[in-house]
Each structure stands twice: as C-alpha cells, then as structure tokens.
Amino acid sequence: MKIAVASDHGGYHLKQEVMAHLKERGIAYEDYGCYSDEACDYPEFAHKAAHAVADGVCEYGIIICGTGIGVSIAANKVPGVRAALCHDCFSAAATKEHNNANMLAMGARVIGPGLALKIVDTFLDTPFSNEERHVRRVKQIEEIG
Ligand code: RB5
C-alpha cells in the first residue's frame, strides 16, 4: 500500500507528523508537496495527489490544508477520486465502509495532531463494507462524474 500525501502551507506541519506516523507504521508514501510552510496555492498539490490516486500510482491519499475544505473540493474534481473531509473517527470509518473513500482530507487549523493521527489510522484500517447498497451508491457517484 502506498499513500499520496499533499498539503498547502496551512497543512505543512501536520503533514510532517502524518508522514512520520506512516513511516513508523511501515506504510510507504509519496509527498506531492508543498515542501515548506511558505504560502502557496492548495489546488496544485491536492490535484497532484488526487491524480496519483486516480491513476493507481497510490492506493489512498491524505491531503491537508488549513480547513481541509479547499483540498477536498480540489481533489474531488479528479474523476475516480472520492475525497472525504473528516475531523472525527466515526466519519473516517463510515466514509471507508459506506463511500469507499480513497482520499482523506483534514484541516490542520481545525484539529490537533493527536486526533489527526487517530483519524489517519481509522481511515487506513477500516475496509469498505462491500455491501450491495453501498457498492450501488458508489457506482452512482462515478456515473454522475
Ligand atoms: C490558506 O490560508 C487556507 O485558505 C487554506 O489552507 C485552506 O484552508 C483552504 O481551504
């Protein structure tokens, strides 16, 4: 499993913590930027990570900005991406079980690193339910796009 990670300046420091956590867990990742906390534009980095997921280079993505909203809106423009903005573990589990989300978005100005890493673990460790109704609904999302 390989994770595409990306952030803007607002998410840069939390992204460093997420990458250290993934490394500790032995999970491979690719950092699609940004590479410092200098002000930058989140769509560029969210798109790079989203394309890595949509193209199958990475299985999942973790994208971070100040609120998590900008990166999730940008990533969801890429066909095949289902990016979920989660600031609690219930949502992180539910979006894998129900939506088969392939990208997790978080806001570094919304939650602290302790909760963020628990959300990352919940997201990565929860499988898609594969229940017929959820398969059908995810398919309907793809058909709309
Ligand atoms: C940057 O100031 C901020 O707008 C960005 O990190 C993000 O929150 C946008 O949605």
Side-chain angles (χ1 to χ4, degrees):
M1 171 163 71
K2 193 171 175 188
I3 312 295
V5 294
S7 73
D8 71 352
H9 55 290
Y12 175 77
H13 293 289
L14 180 56
K15 185 180 66 177
Q16 306 310 306
E17 301 218 30
V18 167
M19 291 191 296
H21 184 68
L22 293 176
K23 194 173 175 197
E24 218 169 85
R25 284 195 53 177
I27 298 172
Y29 63 85
E30 184 78 35
D31 182 5
Y32 288 90
C34 64
Y35 302 110
S36 79
D37 62 6
E38 204 174 302
C40 62
D41 301 330
Y42 60 83
E44 176 188 347
F45 306 104
H47 281 151
K48 283 181 180 160
H51 280 290
V53 172
D55 296 347
V57 175
C58 293
E59 195 173 342
Y60 297 110
I62 299 174
I63 46 178
I64 307 168
C65 63
T67 59
I69 298 169
V71 287
S72 62
I73 292 172
N76 277 316
K77 299 286 283 185
V78 176
V81 163
R82 293 177 300 283
L85 174 59
C86 299
H87 289 134
D88 65 89
C89 292
F90 175 81
S91 301
T95 198
K96 283 294 291 298
E97 287 168 351
H98 294 199
N99 317 122
N100 200 12
N102 51 15
M103 297 190 79
L104 168 67
M106 296 186 293
R109 296 174 186 159
V110 182
I111 52 170
L115 176 55
L117 298 184
K118 289 259 181 238
I119 290 170
V120 166
D121 286 341
T122 304
F123 182 83
L124 295 179
D125 297 341
T126 304
F128 180 47
S129 71
N130 253 312
E131 284 168 28
E132 194 277 330
R133 69 186 191 284
H134 294 310
V135 172
R136 183 180 69 242
R137 291 163 189 165
V138 170
K139 195 163 166 273
Q140 286 170 1
I141 294 172
E142 300 308 321
E143 284 163 1
I144 292 163

